[in-house]
Amino acid sequence: MEALIPVINKLQDVFNTVGADVIQLPQIVVVGTQSSGKSSVLESLVGRDVLPRGTGIVTRRPLIFQLVHVDTEDRRKTSEENGIDGEEWGKFLHTKNKIYTNFEEIRQEIEAETERISGINKGISEEPIHLKVFSPNVVNLTLVDLPGITKVPVGDQPKDIEIQIRELIVKYISNPNSIILAVTAANTDMATSEALKVAREVDPDGRRTLAVVTKLDLMDAGTDAMDILMGRVIPVKLGIIGVVNRSQLDINQKKSVADAIRDEYAFLQKKYPSLANRSGTKYLARTLNRLLMHHIRDCLPELKTRINVLAAQYQSLLNSYGEPVEDQSATLLQLITKFAAEYCHTIEGTAKYIETTELCGGARICYIFHETFGRTLESVDPLGGLTTIDVLTAIRNATGPRPALFVPEVSFELLVKRQVKRLEEPSLRCVELVHEEMQRIIQHCSNYSTQELLRFPKLHDAIVEVVTSLLRKRLPVTNDMVHNLVAIELAYINTKHPDFADACGLMNHNIEEQRRNRMRDLPSAVPRDKAAAGGAQSASSGDQTDSGGMGNWRGMLKRGEDGMAVDRTVPQSPLLSSPQKGHAVNLLDVPVPVSRKLSAREQRDCEVIERLIKSYFLIVRKNIQDSVPKAVMHFLVNHVKDCLQSELVGQLYKSVLLDDLLTESEDMAQRRNEAADMLKALQKASQVIAEIRETHLW
């Protein structure tokens, strides 16, 4: 199981090469307040003075330590290969293959790299520094040193320095694969430990938290940390380990870590003999090594699943970026053909990517035809905008100066054309809606169907321009056709239409029925033979007209004319009486009553005209509702489908345009390389985990 930690270090190296933090690997995160002894604990584990020292906040960037134990054979082999003269050495990720054998230089490099990113003030940065230390005196561990928790900004520190540090700490300890090493000084109240407080926020059960109590030798005289170390003050599930650090005087006097560990052991044997074998730096290192190994073993199954999922995602991402272009002509023709096919498939409803949130393509065009356009036409009132006075005025204007015996046919045609004309606007709006949807299909194909076009923004823009231009050219042609459909209906009012003739026959029957009812209601003083004779004469008059269809409606209006008195209930204007002497009257200035009660004949004439208009209007509306979608499909939709590929090829498939159209976006090549590198790293990581299974380490 000891070999598990080097495996994790190998995985860390794999992901460090691509600069990615997509996998949360098991590691030990050191948390504590400023001056709690964090740095001293880490240096004791490393066995060397390696961390910057000073007052205030010194650690201003996360420092990821990878401690690698090397035996004599490995050390000799590595020394020969790299020309290393020494037992211990270190390597930074940001300095590539440079090897440091002087740990003072490592400390200086940490300071320089910190200032390079975080500046010379006391601000912090989330970007970590990766350091790998090889030594025969360390155990295999991965440690993360974080800035110490502070409360009050000092000097030129940002005012929100406390929040920044806290968020950085929470980011690292929230990793469920991490072990939290909470460092607290023994000469402070354990109950006020900020390290334990923040650890409990993300690990309330304490399954990942190990407490370290530092500065045991600095407690007040007469006191000890026995209750704290035994867990009687605050219990910690993974345990509490006490250590003794070097003092600032020891550091100034260059006291070595090895000497400090010997003095620590002597102090523990003297002060805490019963706990000496469960305290100290060496015991802490062994405990961390054991906890990390068990933690890695528990995390590996989930880690393997995560790596496989990410590998599949990056493979898909890399496929979407496509391969570098080798044959430009073939690539261009392939992209044009694919776009044209996807455009047509979207209209036909056979596209690979089906939209689930809204209607698009052919389905939306169908909705426009039968829902939007159909309902709009049905909502048009056949007599909308037409009042009874308008009908009566049209009848009178059509008769000229002579009183009419029949309702003039011209008035019907005039009024019905006016109503049919109202169908033109919704018909043209239907064309506009279909045109807009065909524009939207371009974007749909770009986003969902032909991701390869995103590689070549100039080609994408050129295709959009060609399709838009084709649609723009077909729009006036389609509008003209729809306009002509309405104009055709206005050009000839077919009163012989079978549906219209049936409507007239039904009205004739209704009016005849009304005449019979009036005859039955005549007073007894009126001889019925005269009424019958009048009716026969009227009927004879109707027989002289064309009995086949529309000819009947003109004659029927005269029926019942005789015997119907003019309505005398309409009050006459005093201006219509004889003018007074000495006063000239301008007849054109006589006001026409705005509203008055119509005579029975006027009511009947208007009612007949309105019924005829409604009947004919419904016939025309039915024709328009059927013919407009057909015209739009033929002149716009189908024409674009049939001509799209040839138009694209004719406009774009030119040798002089190849280099320009197939120029990739600036960041596409970079993103392809990054995705390829990440995929290689994930595949290598998967192989590493597979090796673990084969060697029965897991």
Side-chain angles (χ1 to χ4, degrees):
M1 189 181 293
E2 180 69 25
L4 285 176
I5 296 178
V7 168
I8 292 299
N9 289 340
K10 187 182 295 185
L11 290 178
Q12 185 71 58
D13 293 341
V14 168
F15 293 116
N16 286 344
T17 58
V18 293
D21 192 21
V22 294
I23 297 291
Q24 294 178 318
L25 297 173
Q27 56 193 7
I28 299 170
V29 183
V30 185
V31 180
T33 58
Q34 285 186 22
S35 304
S36 62
K38 285 190 307 89
S39 299
S40 296
V41 171
L42 288 171
E43 287 182 336
S44 298
L45 295 173
V46 176
R48 286 298 196 105
D49 292 329
V50 69
L51 296 176
R53 294 283 181 171
T55 59
I57 182 171
V58 178
T59 303
R60 297 189 288 127
R61 288 177 60 183
L63 180 59
I64 299 178
F65 276 105
Q66 287 180 256
L67 305 184
V68 182
H69 177 80
V70 290
D71 55 26
T72 305
E73 182 62 25
D74 292 337
R75 185 170 69 253
R76 184 186 60 80
K77 182 178 179 181
T78 305
S79 299
E80 292 177 355
E81 292 177 354
N82 299 279
I84 300 173
D85 184 16
E87 294 184 344
E88 301 173 305
W89 66 91
K91 293 173 63 176
F92 286 99
L93 177 64
H94 64 273
T95 59
K96 305 302 180 184
N97 296 323
K98 184 177 180 180
I99 296 176
Y100 296 82
T101 56
N102 187 338
F103 280 81
E104 179 64 22
E105 293 181 2
I106 293 179
R107 184 183 62 79
Q108 294 173 358
E109 180 61 30
I110 293 174
E111 292 178 346
E113 182 65 12
T114 299
E115 291 183 358
R116 186 180 69 84
I117 299 297
S118 303
I120 59 175
N121 63 2
K122 297 299 182 179
I124 66 171
S125 171
E126 293 186 358
E127 186 175 343
I129 299 174
H130 293 267
L131 171 62
K132 183 180 290 189
V133 176
F134 301 84
S135 172
N137 305 318
V138 300
V139 294
N140 292 310
L141 289 175
T142 301
L143 302 161
V144 181
D145 185 23
L146 296 175
I149 301 172
T150 185
K151 290 292 184 181
V152 181
V154 177
D156 57 354
Q157 286 182 348
K159 293 182 179 180
D160 62 340
I161 188 68
E162 177 188 1
I163 299 176
Q164 290 185 27
I165 293 175
R166 185 177 183 84
E167 290 178 349
L168 180 60
I169 292 173
V170 170
K171 174 185 175 182
Y172 275 87
I173 65 177
S174 296
N175 173 11
N177 296 333
S178 66
I179 295 175
I180 305 171
L181 189 64
V183 179
T184 303
N187 56 357
T188 61
D189 189 351
M190 191 76 167
T192 62
S193 172
E194 288 290 335
L196 288 175
K197 178 183 177 183
V198 72
R200 283 191 174 181
E201 291 179 5
V202 298
D203 182 33
D205 298 333
R207 297 178 180 177
R208 300 188 288 116
T209 303
L210 173 68
V212 175
V213 179
T214 62
K215 303 183 181 181
L216 293 176
D217 55 332
L218 299 182
M219 297 188 68
D220 294 338
T223 62
D224 59 34
M226 187 63 72
D227 289 342
I228 295 176
L229 297 176
M230 295 295 291
R232 296 168 185 161
V233 178
I234 296 179
V236 180
K237 187 169 293 186
L238 294 184
I240 303 174
I241 300 175
V243 297
V244 177
N245 301 329
R246 292 178 298 169
S247 65
Q248 189 61 45
L249 179 62
D250 294 335
I251 295 172
N252 294 338
Q253 294 178 350
K254 305 296 183 180
K255 184 177 181 180
S256 68
V257 174
D259 293 340
I261 291 177
R262 282 194 297 269
D263 292 344
E264 175 192 51
Y265 178 76
F267 175 83
L268 292 173
Q269 286 290 347
K270 177 181 177 182
K271 193 71 175 180
Y272 303 95
S274 62
L275 297 177
N277 62 340
R278 290 188 286 128
S279 301
T281 301
K282 290 187 176 181
Y283 179 76
L284 174 62
R286 292 195 302 270
T287 302
L288 290 175
N289 180 264
R290 175 178 53 83
L291 290 175
L292 188 58
M293 284 191 298
H294 286 284
H295 199 61
I296 291 171
R297 183 192 60 188
D298 296 338
C299 295
L300 276 179
E302 182 181 350
L303 194 62
K304 178 179 180 294
T305 302
R306 174 67 175 160
I307 289 174
N308 291 338
V309 170
L310 283 174
Q313 292 176 351
Y314 274 92
Q315 182 65 62
S316 176
L317 182 63
L318 187 61
N319 293 340
S320 69
Y321 292 152
E323 297 295 331
V325 177
E326 296 180 358
D327 188 343
Q328 290 184 328
S329 298
T331 301
L332 179 60
L333 186 60
Q334 178 185 2
L335 291 175
I336 289 176
T337 302
K338 184 172 183 180
F339 179 88
E342 290 294 340
Y343 191 93
C344 296
H345 291 334
T346 303
I347 294 176
E348 296 166 357
T350 57
K352 180 179 179 181
Y353 297 91
I354 300 296
E355 185 67 59
T356 58
T357 58
E358 63 176 354
L359 294 177
C360 75
R364 192 175 185 87
I365 293 175
C366 179
Y367 183 87
I368 292 171
F369 286 157
H370 302 291
E371 298 293 334
T372 306
F373 177 59
R375 291 182 179 179
T376 301
L377 288 189
E378 291 173 0
S379 66
V380 177
D381 184 5
L383 301 176
L386 197 62
T387 64
T388 304
I389 295 298
D390 293 337
V391 176
L392 185 60
T393 302
I395 294 174
R396 289 184 172 180
N397 286 337
T399 60
R402 296 175 300 278
L405 297 177
F406 310 103
V407 176
E409 188 172 345
V410 175
S411 62
F412 163 72
E413 291 194 5
L414 175 67
L415 293 173
V416 81
K417 286 181 179 180
R418 171 179 166 182
Q419 297 307 102
V420 169
K421 183 70 175 176
R422 297 169 61 219
L423 298 176
E424 183 175 24
E425 182 179 352
S427 300
L428 294 175
R429 177 58 180 160
C430 175
V431 178
E432 183 181 350
L433 290 175
V434 174
H435 177 266
E436 291 175 358
E437 177 56 27
M438 297 191 73
Q439 283 284 134
R440 290 178 68 247
I441 295 175
I442 302 175
Q443 190 63 34
H444 173 83
C445 292
S446 300
N447 291 341
Y448 299 100
S449 303
T450 53
Q451 293 265 342
E452 295 92 337
L453 283 180
L454 300 179
R455 293 177 57 192
F456 312 107
K458 291 186 178 180
L459 175 60
H460 175 267
D461 295 342
I463 288 178
V464 171
E465 178 60 31
V466 171
V467 181
T468 302
S469 176
L470 179 59
L471 290 172
R472 193 185 304 120
K473 286 190 295 186
R474 298 306 301 174
L475 183 60
V477 177
T478 310
N479 282 334
D480 289 344
M481 183 60 199
V482 170
H483 176 79
N484 288 336
L485 289 176
V486 179
I488 289 170
E489 296 291 345
L490 296 174
Y492 181 65
I493 305 301
N494 182 18
T495 56
K496 288 285 188 178
H497 193 284
D499 295 340
F500 188 64
D502 293 342
C504 290
L506 182 60
M507 279 191 290
N508 283 341
H509 176 75
N510 292 339
I511 293 177
E512 184 65 24
E513 185 67 25
Q514 292 175 5
R515 187 187 67 79
R516 294 194 190 97
N517 292 338
R518 286 198 301 271
M519 289 180 61
R520 285 195 298 267
D521 295 339
L522 287 175
S524 57
V526 180
R528 292 189 178 272
D529 55 346
K530 292 184 178 181
Q537 181 182 358
S538 179
S540 175
S541 174
D543 291 340
Q544 295 173 3
T545 62
D546 184 5
S547 60
M550 182 57 197
N552 287 340
W553 77 270
R554 295 179 56 191
M556 71 167 183
L557 298 178
K558 190 68 179 68
R559 293 175 184 173
E561 188 74 21
D562 299 336
M564 296 192 64
V566 177
D567 188 356
R568 301 182 181 275
T569 61
V570 179
Q572 295 186 1
S573 171
L575 295 176
L576 298 180
S577 58
S578 300
Q580 299 178 0
K581 292 182 179 181
H583 294 278
V585 177
N586 186 351
L587 294 179
L588 295 179
D589 291 338
V590 177
V592 178
V594 177
S595 62
R596 64 181 178 83
K597 186 175 181 180
L598 302 180
S599 67
R601 176 180 175 177
E602 290 173 338
Q603 289 179 347
R604 185 194 65 211
D605 291 351
C606 291
E607 181 180 352
V608 170
I609 289 294
E610 288 174 354
R611 289 184 179 181
L612 292 173
I613 291 174
K614 184 175 182 180
S615 176
Y616 195 82
F617 180 88
L618 295 179
I619 295 172
V620 175
R621 185 174 73 181
K622 183 178 179 181
N623 294 341
I624 294 295
Q625 189 170 352
D626 179 65
S627 58
V628 167
K630 293 178 178 179
V632 174
M633 286 298 296
H634 177 71
F635 287 92
L636 181 61
V637 180
N638 290 342
H639 186 277
V640 171
K641 283 172 52 182
D642 296 339
C643 301
L644 180 58
Q645 180 162 352
S646 60
E647 188 77 13
L648 288 171
V649 172
Q651 294 287 339
L652 303 179
Y653 192 65
K654 300 176 181 178
S655 57
V656 294
L657 298 177
L658 287 177
D659 291 336
D660 186 50
L661 293 178
L662 294 181
T663 301
E664 286 189 317
S665 58
E666 296 179 357
D667 59 338
M668 181 59 68
Q670 179 182 353
R671 287 189 294 180
R672 185 193 299 110
N673 293 335
E674 290 175 353
D677 292 342
M678 178 57 69
L679 182 60
K680 291 179 181 177
L682 291 167
Q683 292 172 344
K684 188 179 295 183
S686 181
Q687 292 175 359
V688 170
I689 294 180
E691 292 174 1
I692 299 176
R693 298 184 67 93
E694 292 175 0
T695 54
H696 306 288
L697 294 174
W698 174 15

